[in-house]
Amino acid sequence: GRISMARRLTFWNLAALVCAASVFLWIADEVHEREHQDFENRIMAALRTGEPPQPIGPRWLASAARDITGMGSIAVLTTMVGLVAGYLMLSRRPAAAAILLAASISGVVLNSGLKSLYGRDRPNELLRLVDTDSLSFPSGHAMSSATVYLVMAVLLCRLTSAPRQKFYLIGAALLVSFLVGLSRVY
């Protein structure tokens, strides 16, 4: 019954973690050895047109990309974490609030350490939609949004027993994280 289900869930969670870590390490190796540069330049060129380079697509698409990327910004994520942690404290779930805060802070610390380790500069200034001067790998927006939104989804999943609701919560968190990551490429 319940123990068997917990073991299966643990197995699949560990399998997903190993797969995700493997993909990250493969990408990190490519970034470290600069083997990705030609591929990245082709993608960036395909997403720009004209002189000076402008984003492809209608004008609203660039605006939407900036808005979506903002969902992974420190300001938005800090606000979300603070509000959700406040709710969790008010609803007498201090352990869940602590998990959210610890995961969020750990994600930022890990991202900063990885950025320092890989030291990858930002792409060509002319191709950027948003001006920034921090290191680019791994993406803080993508990593932090995945951390925060997925942890919030898992914590919310504990409030329901309905599989469809759990699927929705995890799916929504994955979708937002994917869109933030995609917006960083655009």
Side-chain angles (χ1 to χ4, degrees), residues 4 23 25 27 31 46 51 58 61 78-79 131 138 159 170 175:
S4 175
V23 169
L25 290 172
I27 292 170
V31 167
E51 283 298 324
L61 185 59
T78 300
T79 302
D131 188 39
L159 301 178
I170 298 297
L175 177 63

Short mmCIF file of all heavy atoms in Angstrom, two decimals, residues 4 23 25 27 31 46 51 58 61 78-79 131 138 159 170 175:
data_model
loop_
_atom_site.label_atom_id
_atom_site.label_comp_id
_atom_site.label_asym_id
_atom_site.label_seq_id
_atom_site.Cartn_x
_atom_site.Cartn_y
_atom_site.Cartn_z
N SER A 4 4.71 1.01 -0.17
CA SER A 4 5.12 0.65 -1.52
C SER A 4 5.05 1.86 -2.45
O SER A 4 5.95 2.09 -3.26
CB SER A 4 4.24 -0.47 -2.06
OG SER A 4 4.55 -0.76 -3.39
N VAL A 23 22.25 15.75 -17.09
CA VAL A 23 22.08 16.72 -18.18
C VAL A 23 22.81 18.02 -17.83
O VAL A 23 23.51 18.59 -18.66
CB VAL A 23 20.59 16.97 -18.47
CG1 VAL A 23 20.39 18.16 -19.39
CG2 VAL A 23 19.95 15.73 -19.07
N LEU A 25 25.39 18.45 -15.83
CA LEU A 25 26.84 18.25 -15.90
C LEU A 25 27.34 18.18 -17.34
O LEU A 25 28.42 18.68 -17.65
CB LEU A 25 27.24 17.00 -15.11
CG LEU A 25 27.10 17.13 -13.59
CD1 LEU A 25 27.33 15.78 -12.92
CD2 LEU A 25 28.04 18.19 -13.04
N ILE A 27 25.91 19.74 -19.94
CA ILE A 27 25.87 21.13 -20.43
C ILE A 27 27.00 21.94 -19.82
O ILE A 27 27.68 22.71 -20.51
CB ILE A 27 24.50 21.77 -20.13
CG1 ILE A 27 23.41 21.10 -20.97
CG2 ILE A 27 24.53 23.27 -20.39
CD1 ILE A 27 21.99 21.49 -20.58
N VAL A 31 29.90 24.09 -21.66
CA VAL A 31 30.13 25.51 -21.38
C VAL A 31 31.58 25.72 -20.94
O VAL A 31 32.25 26.64 -21.41
CB VAL A 31 29.15 26.02 -20.30
CG1 VAL A 31 29.56 27.38 -19.77
CG2 VAL A 31 27.74 26.06 -20.88
N ALA A 46 19.62 33.32 -35.07
CA ALA A 46 18.31 32.94 -35.60
C ALA A 46 17.17 33.70 -34.91
O ALA A 46 16.10 33.86 -35.48
CB ALA A 46 18.10 31.44 -35.45
N GLU A 51 19.88 45.31 -38.65
CA GLU A 51 21.02 46.04 -38.08
C GLU A 51 20.52 47.35 -37.52
O GLU A 51 19.95 48.14 -38.25
CB GLU A 51 22.09 46.29 -39.15
CG GLU A 51 22.94 45.09 -39.48
CD GLU A 51 23.75 44.57 -38.30
OE1 GLU A 51 24.21 45.38 -37.47
OE2 GLU A 51 23.89 43.35 -38.19
N PRO A 58 6.75 39.56 -33.71
CA PRO A 58 6.04 40.82 -33.47
C PRO A 58 6.59 41.52 -32.22
O PRO A 58 7.20 40.89 -31.34
CB PRO A 58 4.59 40.39 -33.26
CG PRO A 58 4.63 38.94 -32.96
CD PRO A 58 5.89 38.39 -33.56
N LEU A 61 6.01 40.15 -28.70
CA LEU A 61 6.73 38.95 -28.27
C LEU A 61 7.94 39.31 -27.40
O LEU A 61 8.18 38.68 -26.36
CB LEU A 61 7.16 38.12 -29.48
CG LEU A 61 7.83 36.78 -29.17
CD1 LEU A 61 6.90 35.89 -28.36
CD2 LEU A 61 8.22 36.10 -30.49
N THR A 78 11.45 36.74 -4.51
CA THR A 78 11.53 37.09 -3.08
C THR A 78 10.13 37.45 -2.56
O THR A 78 9.74 37.04 -1.46
CB THR A 78 12.51 38.25 -2.85
OG1 THR A 78 13.81 37.84 -3.31
CG2 THR A 78 12.60 38.63 -1.38
N THR A 79 9.39 38.21 -3.36
CA THR A 79 8.03 38.57 -2.98
C THR A 79 7.16 37.32 -2.84
O THR A 79 6.44 37.16 -1.84
CB THR A 79 7.41 39.53 -4.02
OG1 THR A 79 8.24 40.70 -4.11
CG2 THR A 79 5.99 39.91 -3.65
N ASP A 131 19.68 44.63 -20.30
CA ASP A 131 21.08 44.89 -19.97
C ASP A 131 21.40 44.36 -18.58
O ASP A 131 20.65 44.59 -17.62
CB ASP A 131 21.35 46.39 -20.03
CG ASP A 131 22.83 46.71 -19.90
OD1 ASP A 131 23.65 45.96 -20.47
OD2 ASP A 131 23.17 47.70 -19.22
N PRO A 138 25.17 29.10 -14.46
CA PRO A 138 23.82 28.83 -14.94
C PRO A 138 22.93 30.06 -14.76
O PRO A 138 23.22 30.93 -13.96
CB PRO A 138 23.35 27.67 -14.08
CG PRO A 138 24.15 27.75 -12.83
CD PRO A 138 25.45 28.40 -13.20
N LEU A 159 -1.38 19.67 0.40
CA LEU A 159 -2.66 20.16 0.91
C LEU A 159 -3.85 19.48 0.23
O LEU A 159 -4.99 19.75 0.60
CB LEU A 159 -2.76 21.68 0.73
CG LEU A 159 -1.69 22.51 1.41
CD1 LEU A 159 -1.88 23.98 1.10
CD2 LEU A 159 -1.68 22.27 2.91
N ILE A 170 2.12 20.66 -10.15
CA ILE A 170 3.47 20.35 -10.63
C ILE A 170 3.60 20.79 -12.09
O ILE A 170 4.62 21.38 -12.48
CB ILE A 170 3.79 18.84 -10.47
CG1 ILE A 170 3.76 18.44 -8.99
CG2 ILE A 170 5.13 18.50 -11.11
CD1 ILE A 170 4.80 19.12 -8.12
N LEU A 175 5.79 24.39 -16.16
CA LEU A 175 5.53 25.27 -17.29
C LEU A 175 6.13 26.66 -17.06
O LEU A 175 6.83 27.20 -17.93
CB LEU A 175 4.02 25.39 -17.55
CG LEU A 175 3.62 26.36 -18.67
CD1 LEU A 175 4.18 25.89 -20.01
CD2 LEU A 175 2.12 26.51 -18.73
#
